[in-house]
Amino acid sequence: MKKVLTGNYAAAYAVRAAEPDVISAYPITPQTPIIEKLSEFVDSGELDARFVRVESEHSAMAAVIGASSVGARTYTATSSQGLFYMYEVCWWAAGARLPIVMGVVTRALGPPWSIWSEHTDFYAMRDSGWVMYFADSAQEVYDLTLQAYMVAEHPDVLLPTMVGWDAFEVSHTYEPVELVPLDRVRRLLPEKGVRENVLRDEEPASLGNLAYPDDYIKIRYGLRRAMEAARRVARDAGAKFGEAAGRDYSSPLECVHCGDSDVLFVTMGSITGEGVEAVRRLREKGESVGLARIRLYRPFPYEDVGELLESAKGVIVVNRASRFGGYAALSADVMAAAAARGVAPGMLEVVAGVGGVDVRMEDFIGMYERFRAGARGSMWWIGGR
Amino acid sequence: MAHRVFPKEELLLKGHAACPGCGATVLLRHVLKALGPKTYMVIPASCSSVIAGPYPKTAFSVPLLHIAFAASAAAASGMVEALEKLGRRDVNVVVWAGDGGTVDIGLQALSGAAERGHNIIYICYDNEAYMNTGIQKSGSTPPKAWTTTTPTGNPGFKKDLPSIMAAHRIPYVATLNPAYPNDILYKVRKAASIRGLKYLHALSPCPPGWRYDSRLTVKIARLAVETGVWVLYEVDHGVFRLTGPSKHLVDKSRRKPVVEYLKLQGRFRHLSEEDVEEIQRMVDENWERISEILKDQEKRGV
Ligand SMILES: Cc1ncc(C[n+]2csc(CCOP(=O)(O)OP(=O)(O)O)c2C)c(N)n1
Ligand code: SF4
Ligand SMILES: [Mg+2]
């Protein structure tokens, strides 16, 4: 069934189909429409879940931790300041190995106040132990939110999983979205109520007890192994989802002329569309250029990216995140992928689209020209009007 | 009060990691006996995170979720909603938090949970400072008390959290004291029988933090009641009632002088005579306030 939905409503429809037991969230622009829609679903009885209307994001994450610890399927969503306010407890969720699913509608951080998109909030989670997807359309928000449950609750993973998407350009923009019928969703998602790592009074145990160094490192190593397993599990989930829904997600990234280009753009999120248009125009003029969009950001697809970079002479990493005093997270990951592969393409990192600035096709072409003219290292693209 | 029969089963196991004479473990032992094994605990950062013992063992033979410092009431909110949604209405969800985790950093989450009315028993064990980090002042440290961050005495007052919780119009608020286990059993069982958020606030003497010999814990706890420094009471659906020995202490002549409580504790050693008088005056004023509440209730026929 097709429905015309914004990215945020697409998330709410996916959550309705995933049938969580407990939802908890706190309002913040641009995330709010998700929880408004979910409240409607709960109040109308369309979704049989408890909605805990907490007094802060810190409490929202804590509430889903409490719920997940006793076996409930859960959902929460936030943005920017809200994500940072719940930051401490996000790490708790991962350490406790609770398969919470969260939507993060990316938004710049203040000051100055800004409600527009930037991925700085998303990147701040990169070492927390969450599996992290980034969607570039309402359809992907829907599809990846469902896959998030498939990955999070997989017995080899048991890690919280988040899906990010851009403020307004995706969160508030209506697009046709193909929904997956409920019976098919039920078959795709793990069975509810069978998860093993659950607190039970019949078999009392403590979750999170103080661990001395020799135990702590082993527990943390378990988390690393789970994250490594998530690579395979996400691939499988993406393939299975493709079989059921006709949209294949078995690759952690999306490629446009990746393998056969001298210069490769690497992007994430909604600015990609303009990048793809730039690639088309440049190729018409005979330029050898392609684009890879990262969809699964953690665990980072080092091997896939490394393979793409083998044939490329140069890479332009477009980061929609303010970074100061160091390379942006995405550039660092891309270059690590190259180094691990033993290849050394020239790299230009471009910080662009900060605080919601449009990144247009012409901007991508400009970045390409700069690269061709020999620009390497890091630069900001102020752009705009 | 009739002697109540405590269950024999120990749900706080031997080998826990508390200091000798820890008031919190005396309370915990009785609280868990009162509640029984179908009890889910949520514990934020505090001495109790350590008392539970190191991984992979645990001193609790009930399910226990450790959680970040500020987050206990919210975690319990989600937990109880989940358990009910999953068909478990026959269990207790209990927060066991220190005074810092309750009156300071955890207050926002507690206030929210109280307003929402989740079916939770929230117990604050009040050792009147941040003990886990080595005796720093909290919002529950009494006036003039020494701590490592108030080396010349606390200039502030002690937050009256039970009154703040009563102002949330939750169904049940009560105070506890480890020297009166019967009173604990009665109040904890009563709390468990009422739906909604119940708030219990327990005095929790702490030998290293209060600077006294560990064999004096129960004596000091009892003196806190007998001098009127700690008042045993409950607020049951808005009705205030003194309980246990506190029932007979409205008359000042029946209360021991506060100095008897203060002089046993090193944290009050630096007090001058005027300081002691001032504390006595504060305690007496609190009792006058209680007397007013009782008179007012009588007038209204409550
Ligand atoms: C966010 C955060 N800030 C600070 C701490 C450090 N910390 C751990 S326990 C504690 C004191 C706890 O005091 P209280 O709640 O009174 O419990 P007690 O240790 O006295 O039993 C502090 C400050 C922490 N764990 N988390
Ligand atoms: S420091 Fe005090 S509260 Fe903490 S374990 Fe020791 S006696 Fe108990
Ligand atoms: Mg304390």
Side-chain angles (χ1 to χ4, degrees):
Chain A
M1 192 194 23
K2 254 200 171 82
K3 247 183 150 41
V4 180
L5 298 173
T6 63
N8 282 352
Y9 288 159
Y13 274 84
V15 172
R16 187 182 73 170
E19 302 177 293
D21 303 297
V22 176
I23 298 166
S24 183
Y26 189 78
I28 183 166
T29 306
Q31 171 274 140
T32 313
I34 308 174
I35 60 167
E36 289 174 338
K37 186 53 89 184
L38 285 170
S39 301
E40 283 172 33
F41 288 154
V42 170
D43 276 8
S44 69
E46 280 170 85
L47 172 57
D48 180 18
R50 299 285 178 105
F51 195 119
V52 186
R53 293 166 189 85
V54 279
E55 77 302 325
S56 75
E57 288 89 354
H58 197 276
S59 287
M61 183 50 62
V64 289
I65 287 173
S68 187
S69 75
V70 294
R73 180 172 287 172
T74 58
Y75 185 76
T76 186
T78 190
S79 293
S80 180
Q81 314 292 141
L83 182 67
F84 278 35
Y85 197 70
M86 66 161 65
Y87 198 53
E88 175 195 30
V89 236
C90 290
W91 290 62
W92 202 277
R97 307 288 303 274
L98 298 171
I100 292 158
V101 173
M102 168 160 71
V104 174
V105 188
T106 58
R107 161 184 158 178
L109 288 142
W113 282 115
S114 166
I115 53 170
W116 294 283
S117 188
E118 176 175 333
H119 305 165
T120 308
D121 48 3
F122 180 84
Y123 285 122
M125 294 287 290
R126 68 188 179 277
D127 297 323
S128 64
W130 282 63
V131 174
M132 300 168 71
Y133 284 108
F134 207 100
D136 82 333
S137 64
Q139 183 69 63
E140 273 203 3
V141 170
Y142 179 84
D143 295 348
L144 291 175
T145 300
L146 290 173
Q147 287 167 60
Y149 284 100
M150 297 169 73
V151 175
E153 291 181 15
H154 191 285
D156 296 346
V157 178
L158 294 174
L159 287 175
T161 300
M162 57 187 265
V163 181
W165 60 93
D166 287 276
F168 301 108
E169 290 137 34
V170 173
S171 71
H172 286 61
T173 305
Y174 279 92
E175 299 171 35
V177 175
E178 179 78 41
L179 305 185
V180 183
L182 190 58
D183 58 320
R184 255 187 268 168
V185 172
R186 282 191 182 145
R187 261 178 280 138
L188 275 173
L189 265 56
E191 193 185 336
K192 279 172 64 171
V194 297
R195 181 150 60 85
E196 294 271 340
N197 66 335
V198 163
L199 290 172
R200 292 190 185 88
D201 52 308
E202 301 90 342
E203 229 184 309
S206 295
L207 177 54
N209 259 29
L210 173 77
Y212 289 131
D214 290 348
D215 285 315
Y216 184 87
I217 192 170
K218 284 180 203 142
I219 293 167
R220 286 277 146 171
Y221 185 64
L223 207 149
R224 176 200 152 95
R225 287 178 50 165
M227 186 60 87
E228 290 307 312
R231 292 181 197 287
R232 167 180 51 78
V233 173
R235 222 174 264 273
D236 294 351
K240 255 194 232 161
F241 187 88
E243 283 161 30
R247 291 180 296 280
D248 180 60
Y249 284 84
S250 55
S251 173
L253 39 83
E254 190 190 44
C255 267
V256 180
H257 299 292
C258 285
D260 59 346
S261 297
D262 288 347
V263 178
L264 196 65
F265 280 104
V266 177
T267 63
M268 209 168 76
S270 65
I271 60 170
T272 305
E274 294 286 308
V276 171
E277 185 55 22
V279 164
R280 199 181 62 77
R281 299 263 178 116
L282 287 166
R283 288 186 79 90
E284 270 174 13
K285 291 191 196 149
E287 301 292 327
S288 174
V289 56
L291 182 148
R293 174 173 66 90
I294 306 296
R295 192 159 52 196
L296 178 65
Y297 175 70
R298 282 288 182 270
F300 192 81
Y302 290 105
E303 289 206 6
D304 306 70
V305 172
E307 203 183 314
L308 296 180
L309 295 179
E310 250 182 14
S311 53
K313 295 194 191 77
V315 56
I316 304 169
V317 188
V318 187
N319 296 270
R320 194 175 208 180
S322 323
R323 284 282 288 180
F324 323 101
Y327 280 101
L330 187 58
S331 325
D333 281 321
V334 168
M335 291 320 283
R341 192 81 180 183
V343 295
M347 195 264 292
L348 175 63
E349 143 178 306
V350 185
V351 171
V354 164
V357 167
D358 277 342
V359 185
R360 291 158 304 172
M361 186 260 296
E362 297 82 3
D363 296 311
F364 277 92
I365 290 176
M367 293 172 204
Y368 179 77
E369 282 165 358
R370 286 287 189 99
F371 184 85
R372 276 296 186 209
R376 298 292 183 273
S378 178
M379 66 177 293
W380 276 49
W381 196 270
I382 304 298
R385 274 161 246 279
Chain B
M1 184 185 292
H3 184 73
R4 292 170 199 276
V5 181
F6 272 85
K8 283 227 165 54
E9 195 180 357
E10 299 290 350
L11 296 169
L12 177 68
L13 305 173
K14 289 175 187 163
H16 62 70
C19 312
C22 173
T25 49
V26 179
L27 289 159
L28 253 180
R29 179 169 177 241
H30 291 120
V31 163
L32 286 173
K33 277 174 182 275
L35 291 170
K38 285 189 185 177
T39 298
Y40 286 71
M41 303 274 290
V42 177
I43 298 185
S46 60
C47 271
S48 299
S49 331
V50 179
I51 291 172
Y55 174 92
K57 296 190 176 157
T58 175
F60 287 80
S61 64
V62 292
L64 161 59
L65 174 67
H66 290 277
I67 192 71
F69 202 12
S72 56
S77 303
M79 183 186 272
V80 73
E81 292 306 312
L83 286 165
E84 289 186 0
K85 171 72 175 34
L86 300 172
R88 295 300 307 272
R89 280 178 162 262
D90 59 329
V91 296
N92 305 301
V93 172
V94 177
V95 174
W96 176 263
D99 48 296
T102 302
V103 318
D104 291 339
I105 199 168
L107 182 55
Q108 171 180 309
L110 171 58
S111 175
E115 167 271 313
R116 296 188 300 270
H118 302 284
N119 194 30
I120 296 169
I121 303 174
Y122 189 109
I123 307 175
C124 169
Y125 69 97
D126 184 1
N127 51 26
E128 304 191 317
Y130 298 132
M131 293 311 178
N132 176 261
T133 39
I135 326 172
Q136 293 79 35
K137 183 211 86 98
S138 80
S140 202
T141 299
K144 301 183 190 295
W146 166 91
T147 69
T148 60
T149 51
T150 53
T152 56
N154 178 20
F157 294 105
K158 182 181 169 75
K159 248 189 236 184
D160 179 1
L161 212 71
S163 294
I164 292 169
M165 294 315 294
H168 283 71
R169 290 179 291 181
I170 55 176
Y172 192 65
V173 175
T175 58
L176 310 176
N177 180 304
Y180 301 93
N182 285 340
D183 189 65
I184 295 175
L185 189 72
Y186 158 74
K187 286 171 177 167
V188 172
R189 290 247 167 105
K190 186 165 185 179
S193 74
I194 300 170
R195 263 190 83 78
L197 190 138
K198 289 78 60 175
Y199 180 76
L200 306 178
H201 195 105
L203 184 70
S204 187
C206 164
W210 295 8
R211 305 273 168 219
Y212 67 81
D213 189 293
S214 58
R215 73 199 149 80
L216 295 177
T217 293
V218 173
K219 181 168 184 179
I220 286 176
R222 193 178 298 126
L223 274 169
V225 170
E226 290 170 348
T227 57
V229 168
W230 191 261
V231 186
L232 286 173
Y233 66 88
E234 62 182 7
V235 185
D236 184 349
H237 294 89
V239 180
F240 181 95
R241 207 169 68 82
L242 292 166
T243 70
S246 294
K247 275 191 284 205
H248 314 293
L249 298 180
V250 182
D251 176 357
K252 183 178 175 182
S253 68
R254 301 185 70 166
R255 301 198 292 266
K256 293 183 175 168
V258 292
V259 69
E260 291 193 29
Y261 171 69
L262 301 175
K263 73 182 181 199
L264 294 179
Q265 303 173 50
R267 63 175 172 155
F268 295 118
R269 191 166 29 223
H270 59 286
L271 298 194
S272 65
E273 254 174 62
E274 291 81 58
D275 287 332
V276 173
E277 273 168 30
E278 201 183 325
I279 292 173
Q280 182 69 62
R281 208 163 42 242
M282 287 182 209
V283 168
D284 294 342
E285 276 167 15
N286 188 41
W287 278 96
E288 274 161 34
R289 199 177 59 91
I290 289 169
S291 165
E292 290 300 317
I293 292 171
L294 291 171
K295 274 189 215 145
D296 178 60
Q297 284 188 172
E298 211 169 318
K299 235 189 285 166
R300 289 189 290 123
V302 180

